[in-house]
Amino acid sequence: MELTPDDTIIFSVYGIAINATIVFTWVVMAFLTVTSVLITRNLRADVAPDRWRTMLETIVLTIQSQIDEISARPDRRLLYFAGTLFLFIITSNLLAVVPGWHAPTASLSTTAALALAVLVAVPLFGIGSRGIGAYLHSYLEPNIIMLPFNIIGEVSRGISLAIRLYGNVMSGAVIAAILLSVAPFFFPVVMDMLGLLTGVIQAYIFAILATVYISSATAPSETQTKPAKEHS
């Protein structure tokens, strides 16, 4: 039993093995890109939205509302980043119902890459929102002794994101394999439904945690808020 798509080699290019993780990652990206282009190709004010455009707008507005509830400084760029994470993960997981599909999120390399993207985005959003001086000073709060602990905390966030997503997808595959060996005719349908539900939840949790981490980095520090409060 192959527990990760990294073990499945699809083809080779000049001696370089291309595994299922790479192939199906590009399939998901191509699927999302083509779908977005097709839905928004007639995106004009004089054209009435069809059901697909309405569905896409509902998804975007729902993601934006979730970000607005979390972030003290709503940023359109955060919608693009967190929304892309959510759509990529949920599409990868939901397509698991397709026979022969290997979810890229079942690979630790994919989840680590997603977590690394969040780790890079956190300081970028923080510096862009608060300035490089104020952001770097946040690592010294409440005092300089906390500098190594704050750095370790940032790194541990990314590690926990990667392991959480990978662990949940992997555990689902293992449980499904065990149940299929016990009752191969009944459990496939149940496990497919459970897998879909788990895939949606994991995509939501990952995107929400990324939003929380970025929002905490862009939120004004106590030293920035005190003068405003005293002046008021």
Side-chain angles (χ1 to χ4, degrees):
M1 180 180 63
E2 295 180 347
L3 298 180
T4 171
D6 292 341
D7 298 332
T8 304
I9 306 301
I10 304 298
F11 58 90
S12 298
V13 178
Y14 298 108
I16 301 175
I18 306 299
N19 58 34
T21 301
I22 298 175
V23 172
F24 288 100
T25 295
W26 280 94
V27 170
V28 173
M29 292 190 296
F31 174 79
L32 291 175
T33 301
V34 172
T35 301
S36 300
V37 171
L38 292 177
I39 293 177
T40 60
R41 67 184 185 279
N42 292 323
L43 190 62
R44 301 196 308 270
D46 58 335
V47 177
D50 55 15
R51 59 182 179 179
W52 295 108
R53 177 180 162 186
T54 301
M55 180 187 68
L56 182 60
E57 291 178 351
T58 301
I59 295 174
V60 173
L61 291 175
T62 301
I63 296 174
Q64 183 64 63
S65 66
Q66 292 291 312
I67 294 175
D68 292 340
E69 292 180 3
I70 297 172
S71 179
R73 294 181 177 180
D75 190 335
R76 179 67 65 174
R77 293 170 299 178
L78 183 53
L79 169 64
Y80 304 150
F81 181 74
T84 300
L85 288 176
F86 175 76
L87 291 176
F88 175 81
I89 296 173
I90 195 173
T91 302
S92 299
N93 294 339
L94 291 183
L95 287 178
V97 298
V98 177
W101 177 261
H102 297 269
T105 47
S107 168
L108 184 58
S109 59
T110 299
T111 58
L114 294 174
L116 181 61
V118 176
L119 279 178
V120 173
V122 168
L124 290 180
F125 275 91
I127 293 172
S129 177
R130 300 165 58 183
I132 186 170
Y135 176 76
L136 293 179
H137 185 269
S138 65
Y139 284 94
L140 304 177
E141 295 177 352
N143 53 62
I144 194 173
I145 299 177
M146 296 302 296
L147 175 61
F149 299 100
N150 289 331
I151 295 176
I152 293 173
E154 288 292 330
V155 176
S156 63
R157 287 179 177 181
I159 296 175
S160 65
L161 279 174
I163 295 177
R164 179 184 291 109
L165 181 59
Y166 172 75
N168 280 275
V169 176
M170 179 63 67
S171 62
V174 173
I175 294 174
I178 294 174
L179 293 179
L180 286 175
S181 64
V182 176
F185 298 104
F186 173 73
F187 281 110
V189 176
V190 177
M191 292 308 303
D192 282 343
M193 296 177 61
L194 182 60
L196 292 178
L197 178 61
T198 303
V200 173
I201 294 175
Q202 286 305 313
Y204 176 78
I205 292 176
F206 192 99
I208 287 294
L209 289 177
T211 303
V212 170
Y213 297 157
I214 293 174
S215 298
S216 65
T218 58
S221 62
E222 294 181 2
T223 56
Q224 292 177 301
T225 56
K226 281 182 179 179
K229 291 181 179 179
E230 293 175 357
H231 180 72
S232 61

